[in-house]
Amino acid sequence: MNFDELKKILKEIGEPGFRYRQIKDAFCKQAVLRFDEIRIIPKKLAVDLEGKISPLSFSLEKIVSAKNKLSYKALFRLDDGHLIESVLISAISGTWSACLSSQVGCQLACRFCATGQNGFKRNLTSEEITDQVIFWKNFVKTNNLPGTFSHIVFMGMGEPFLNWTEVKAALYRIISPDYFDFGARHISVSTSGIATGIKELARDFPQVNLAFSLVFPDNKQRDEYMPVNRRFNLEDMRKAIEYYIEVTNRKVFLEYIMLAGVNDQRNHADKICDFIDSIENGAKLLHVNLISYNSTNAEFKSSDAKTVKNFLNFLQRNHISATIRKSLGEEIDGACGQLAGQAN
Ligand code: SAH
Ligand code: SF4
């Protein structure tokens, strides 16, 4: 829903000021998807609006669910024909998280990520971002999914800090009590390493969580597998994370995809410890999530369970807070890194 456009239309057709609030609340809070579902507005107004503005900026092309019904992936067709994916996951029983896309594709081309391998098309508008929230909220409600939709993560397609203007506008509405009213502490933004973006996040949304896709703990490997590192290296990231911690005093999550034979040896675990120790308050506030690699191409293999366990033990023995994050979406190709936006 383009709320600015809605406000303009209501004014043009001479509706009283309170209508905007009623309709906005219906979409954001009660998660309706159509004007004629809003009982408190006159039927004629619903029909008029239906002809003037479309509630969602995309149409649903396809939706798939995992067998255990704990994750769902939606494929949306945008107005200009591009496809994006968005995922709903229940990682903790009774809570649902939406994993939102922020761009069609991604410029950053990390070698292990399906989105990055498919190139970049364009930024999403803030409306296309918040519409994913409306869609999932409605989905949880209409399908009577057990529990509440309470968390949002920017871990779908794209790099949120390379579309900060629109992501920021979307975040304002997502946490605003007048719009979606989500707790800022229930929202996470993930970056592969745009250091300047981290500073803006800390300044603009000090209660929103930060995740950093570390994946390689030294510059040489990061340069090779994650081109973003040539722009902002680990020293830049160290400073940016330090700044975020200083401003927010919040935990930061380091995402670490375990790639067999590439970044899963003892010396890598050692370097993770060094990186964390080099950050002021790092040992207290940084948490490592070990993630199993979701296959996207033949170049990499996921580390085996024993290697991951040993890696975890090593970190923990060195007083690093770390966990193995289970992947929920792999079955639907909706796990992180697999959101390639193809109609498969
Ligand atoms: N561009 C941002 C956010 C989107 S990617 C970022 O890179 O952080 C979201 C997450 O998916 C990141 O943590 C990324 O490291 C992870 N990811 C990418 N490809 C993956 C893959 N093939 N398997 C598992 N996780 C992957
Ligand atoms: Fe882009 Fe993130 Fe994928 Fe890297 S991991 S290509 S930054 S979406």
Side-chain angles (χ1 to χ4, degrees), residues 1-3 27 32-36 49-50 52-58 127 131 134:
M1 168 63 70
N2 184 332
F3 293 108
F27 281 100
V32 305
L33 285 187
R34 287 176 12 199
F35 291 106
D36 61 10
L49 288 172
E50 207 67 61
K52 287 181 194 293
I53 180 168
S54 63
L56 285 192
S57 52
F58 46 65
E127 178 194 353
D131 281 355
I134 297 178

Side-chain angles (χ1 to χ4, degrees), residues 226-251:
M226 301 178 75
V228 66
N229 199 65
R230 292 176 217 153
R231 209 162 128 200
F232 299 105
N233 64 21
L234 285 172
E235 177 54 18
D236 299 321
M237 294 310 293
R238 191 189 69 68
K239 286 192 201 134
I241 293 172
E242 224 161 46
Y243 176 83
Y244 174 90
I245 288 179
E246 194 187 310
V247 173
T248 68
N249 200 30
R250 298 187 67 71
K251 261 192 178 171

Side-chain angles (χ1 to χ4, degrees), residues 176-246:
S176 163
D178 291 338
Y179 286 83
F180 294 92
D181 201 16
F182 267 76
R185 292 189 173 90
H186 288 187
I187 301 170
S188 303
V189 174
S190 178
T191 181
S192 62
I194 303 293
T196 43
I198 293 182
K199 293 188 179 158
E200 301 208 46
L201 181 74
R203 281 196 292 261
D204 296 338
F205 302 100
Q207 294 186 323
V208 168
N209 300 296
L210 169 69
F212 166 45
S213 300
L214 176 66
V215 195
F216 304 94
D218 67 70
N219 283 315
K220 194 163 166 285
Q221 267 197 322
R222 270 198 127 235
D223 279 352
E224 190 182 341
Y225 293 106
M226 301 178 75
V228 66
N229 199 65
R230 292 176 217 153
R231 209 162 128 200
F232 299 105
N233 64 21
L234 285 172
E235 177 54 18
D236 299 321
M237 294 310 293
R238 191 189 69 68
K239 286 192 201 134
I241 293 172
E242 224 161 46
Y243 176 83
Y244 174 90
I245 288 179
E246 194 187 310

Side-chain angles (χ1 to χ4, degrees), residues 82-100:
H82 288 314
L83 294 169
I84 56 159
E85 294 182 349
S86 195
V87 172
L88 182 75
I89 297 178
S90 180
I92 304 166
S93 178
T95 68
W96 291 93
S97 306
C99 178
L100 308 185

Side-chain angles (χ1 to χ4, degrees), residues 306-317:
K306 191 160 168 272
T307 308
V308 178
K309 190 84 199 43
N310 287 341
F311 203 88
L312 177 76
N313 289 342
F314 181 88
L315 293 176
Q316 291 176 337
R317 271 202 312 278

